[in-house]
Amino acid sequence: MFARVVQVPLQPGTSAEAANYFKESVGPALKQQDGFKNSRFLTNAETNRCLMVTLWESAEHRQGAESNGFLQGVLQDMKQYFAGAPTIDYYEVDVQVVNN
């Protein structure tokens, strides 16, 4: 599995609204992307920062969600919540622990 982690500072007081937007709009759209596995939207109200973590079946699937414009569209749509430019990092998922 492969991960993309987007880190971005949020406008003060917008973390709940940004999280709701991610849940209601981005989440359903992610489910339509080939190779999408799951995602997390994490916020820190003290620092006004968030992390958007998505997991993909392969690096090609992760890259596909960028080359087709999906990621760019999400970042553009969520720009109203951002207090600065996002940074994007890529990782291979070596271990995943799940408690069902």
Side-chain angles (χ1 to χ4, degrees):
M1 241 185 320
F2 292 81
R4 177 175 48 240
V5 179
V6 178
Q7 299 180 61
V8 63
L10 295 174
Q11 296 286 341
T14 64
S15 63
E17 190 177 344
N20 187 61
Y21 181 85
F22 190 89
K23 177 183 175 185
E24 298 297 326
S25 297
V26 179
L30 275 168
K31 291 178 181 180
Q32 303 304 310
Q33 297 295 307
D34 288 339
F36 171 74
K37 298 296 284 179
N38 65 60
S39 68
R40 302 287 185 271
F41 187 88
L42 298 86
T43 60
N44 182 323
E46 292 179 17
T47 63
N48 292 315
R49 294 192 63 78
C50 81
L51 297 174
M52 293 178 264
V53 180
T54 54
L55 299 181
W56 304 86
E57 289 179 13
S58 69
E60 292 76 22
H61 285 112
R62 183 192 69 211
Q63 292 163 350
E66 293 180 17
S67 63
N68 70 9
F70 178 78
L71 176 62
Q72 295 82 354
V74 168
L75 296 178
Q76 182 63 36
D77 291 344
M78 294 193 72
K79 192 174 184 177
Q80 62 186 319
Y81 307 112
F82 298 168
T87 60
I88 303 171
D89 294 306
Y90 303 97
Y91 300 90
E92 187 167 350
V93 179
D94 294 319
V95 176
Q96 178 171 269
V97 178
V98 179
N99 184 7
N100 293 333

